[in-house]
Amino acid sequence: MKINFWFGLLISLFLLLSVGGVIGGSVMIFKNIDLRLFGEKTTALIVDTEISSSLNDRDYKHTQRTYVYPIVEYTVDGKLIRSKSHSSANKIKEDIGDEIAIVYRKSEPDYFALQVQLNENLLAGSVCIIIGGLFTTIFTVIIVHAYKDRKMEREKKLFEEHNFQSGTSKKSLR
């Protein structure tokens, strides 16, 4: 099996993306567990929202999807912190002016998560790890298989070039 440059590049790119999925999912889970175990719980006031949108090409209508990121204010050790959520919060019922339960990192007070999203973030991280791990395994098997095939082709070509006979040993070539 001869591997051309573009095939190797494509497989390497997919391998890199799948490893990135495993790493990204691991970071999501680590941050989530860190917030669950060591995070400080408090209530925050939703003071604003940041809206991001993207075009949904999954249907023929080309609908626009909107993502809402709440900007909240809360007090840590007498200091007012204003921070934007790292996760979109389209499903929450709260609006600007409402209070919402959050969990923040004591060592990094501007990093927080909405309490209602902790399970969702854990699930998203787990899915990233599972899918990334599956694809990492698949692409690694493809690369190893291609390498072994290439090695066998080289050995076969070397064998044919030197007109080895079935009874010829490696010692007699020296």
Side-chain angles (χ1 to χ4, degrees):
M1 170 183 203
K2 184 166 175 143
I3 301 173
N4 68 25
F5 172 77
W6 296 110
F7 177 75
L9 184 67
L10 186 65
I11 291 295
S12 299
L13 177 67
F14 281 121
L15 179 62
L16 185 65
L17 289 172
S18 57
V19 169
V22 171
I23 293 170
S26 299
V27 168
M28 286 175 69
I29 288 177
F30 172 77
K31 285 185 173 187
N32 192 294
I33 290 173
D34 180 52
L35 283 174
R36 285 174 184 261
L37 295 178
F38 306 110
E40 298 288 327
K41 296 179 181 178
T42 190
T43 56
L45 180 67
I46 300 174
V47 293
D48 201 0
T49 57
E50 186 174 300
I51 297 175
S52 172
S53 61
S54 67
L55 189 63
N56 184 8
D57 288 332
R58 292 184 184 166
D59 58 10
Y60 295 109
K61 298 175 187 172
H62 300 291
T63 56
Q64 192 82 9
R65 292 207 32 127
T66 303
Y67 303 97
V68 178
Y69 297 88
I71 299 171
V72 299
E73 286 184 349
Y74 50 100
T75 305
V76 176
D77 297 329
K79 182 180 173 189
L80 184 66
I81 305 287
R82 182 182 179 116
S83 185
K84 182 181 89 165
S85 176
H86 300 298
S87 300
S88 67
N90 294 2
K91 296 180 182 179
I92 64 169
K93 305 281 188 258
E94 288 80 0
D95 203 4
I96 295 174
D98 292 341
E99 286 190 344
I100 191 163
I102 65 165
V103 181
Y104 67 91
R105 215 181 256 148
K106 189 81 168 163
S107 61
E108 189 181 2
D110 60 333
Y111 182 84
F112 74 94
L114 304 176
Q115 271 189 317
V116 296
Q117 289 184 318
L118 287 178
N119 289 338
E120 186 178 306
N121 293 344
L122 189 63
L123 179 64
S126 300
V127 168
C128 285
I129 288 175
I130 290 168
I131 291 174
L134 177 67
F135 281 108
T136 299
T137 303
I138 290 169
F139 292 121
T140 302
V141 167
I142 290 171
I143 290 170
V144 168
H145 181 68
Y147 175 76
K148 285 183 178 181
D149 281 351
R150 195 170 185 193
K151 184 178 177 183
M152 283 178 45
E153 281 181 13
R154 269 191 251 133
E155 288 174 356
K156 183 179 176 184
K157 185 176 180 182
L158 182 66
F159 186 80
E160 290 171 354
E161 284 176 0
H162 294 288
N163 294 322
F164 289 131
Q165 301 297 324
S166 59
T168 307
S169 68
K170 290 182 181 179
K171 288 183 181 180
S172 64
L173 292 176
R174 293 182 189 168

